[in-house]
Amino acid sequence: MPQSSPPISNLSQRQREILELIRLGKSNNEIAFELGIGLGTVKQHVVALFRKLKVSRRTMALSRGHEQASLLSQAMSFSPSEIILQRRPCIVLSLTMQTGSPESLRTMKTAMAVEAQETSDVFLPWRESGCDIILGIEQASESAPLRALQIAWKTAAKLAGTSAGSTLKGGVAAGLAVASMHRRGGWSGEAIASSAIVLARQHAQTAEPGTLHLDAAVMDLLRLCGAYLKNCAPLLLPLDAPQDLLWHESNEAFRFYGRKPELENLRDILTASPQSPSPKIHAVGGEAGIGKSRLCAEFTHICREAGHAVRHLRCLPSMAPKPFWDAYSRHACTWKELHKTLANDDHDILVVDDAHWLAEEQKQVLMVPPADSRGVMYLAQRKQTNKETLLVPSLDIGEIEELALNVVSEDAVRDDDRLPKISRSIAALAGGNPRYALEMARNHLTVASLASKNNQSRKYLPLNLLLLVTANLDQAALDRRMLGVVASKPKGLILQDLVHSLNEEEHFVKASVDEAIKKGVLFISEKHRIGFVHPMFHSVIQYLGMEP
């Protein structure tokens, strides 16, 4: 089947310039000289360019002939309106060498540059003996702090194996960056600035040799992934001890609110036939913070009270030292350890939380229980769940019963016993997402901080919320300039007003709006006004100052 051409709108202005220079046979060094940028920056752009064009080397890009010529002709018609300035949540990792040879310094910088290229993050070498990686500009992710730690650990391990006598130390900071962005995502390469860069460098300079100094905001973001530090000084993490990053589930008891229909649906699993010819999969999906983990914990509790042998696993991000957390033994484990345990276990129900972190080969093993098992599995993962998102194509797992978690009522959010007494303003802004309300409550938001006296909605929002919501919006890859205009109108606007504000053709604007509606970000009211499905989407886009 022929490969379809990637849309030219996915390429930034700088990537288009580099593509033209590649077509002219220029080397990376020649491209760097001609554009007046560093060689490392050119390499980052080339990697990102090839990824977007779905090729792996120069000859593959050039072999497309007329297709590439067409792309290049479109590139020359680039319009400045395709690039907008945005504030974006980011994580900055800074590493520096206190002692070491020039070869050790090159080893460190090369290792960091390679890591940045592989993840499309921004690499910045210092004039002195250090360098930075800025994570989250190209694609926001709640796991970005973990990725920063993983890069630091890998770099330290590489230096330990090749550069005796070198002393590495570093800092990690979180904050907002101002960056020039393409309308549908991706850094354009023209501009980036953040106070988090300065802060991370200060942390690196003052850190103890062999450690990472983490700021409080990074610690807060790690909590979103269920990670915490133990057995080390406050905010200091050893560079040679990834095991000091631990994983847990809260020991706090809580009452269960707002999910009675879903819980009753899951209770029906316990009355199902003891034997089934194929695994019975109950797949639960929903956005981050909607309550999937609490539903997992409650269902596991009910199963155990009913006398069932149940295993409750939480999948961890790929950046974690170990990929699974066993909620019963409260220990992290490797895939090999888990596989061996499951083979010798007599459980009849398996609960898997955060299944979106599972690798395909892990799904294939986990979803086929032993022949004498009841074959009941309850999976929870982000977004909607179906055969295509859960399984590998070659795996025949039989029937899947899907359950989508939607928002809970505002009263249920306010009754959540994890939260202090919160105002209706906060509960309304949370939009039925318990995690959003919890993060706002933890940051002591008040009615006064949510809106000013003149009713302008310039809100204070904590960084962890900004990261969660921006990651969701980035995955949708929508027209950010269009979303910024919609966010600037508290009561929404009709399509004709949006067309006028953007000064673009109506069919183009309508296609962007329809795409946002399809992906659950925008909706059109009965009065034909365009607005946001979730109030937090509106608030975050407005807070980050997406240019109209």
Side-chain angles (χ1 to χ4, degrees), residues 422-442:
I422 63 174
S423 68
R424 291 196 175 275
S425 298
I426 291 179
L429 183 58
N433 186 306
R435 167 60 66 82
Y436 294 169
L438 178 61
E439 297 305 327
M440 284 187 285
R442 279 176 171 158

Side-chain angles (χ1 to χ4, degrees), residues 30 53 89 216 304:
E30 291 170 326
L53 293 180
R304 289 198 174 117

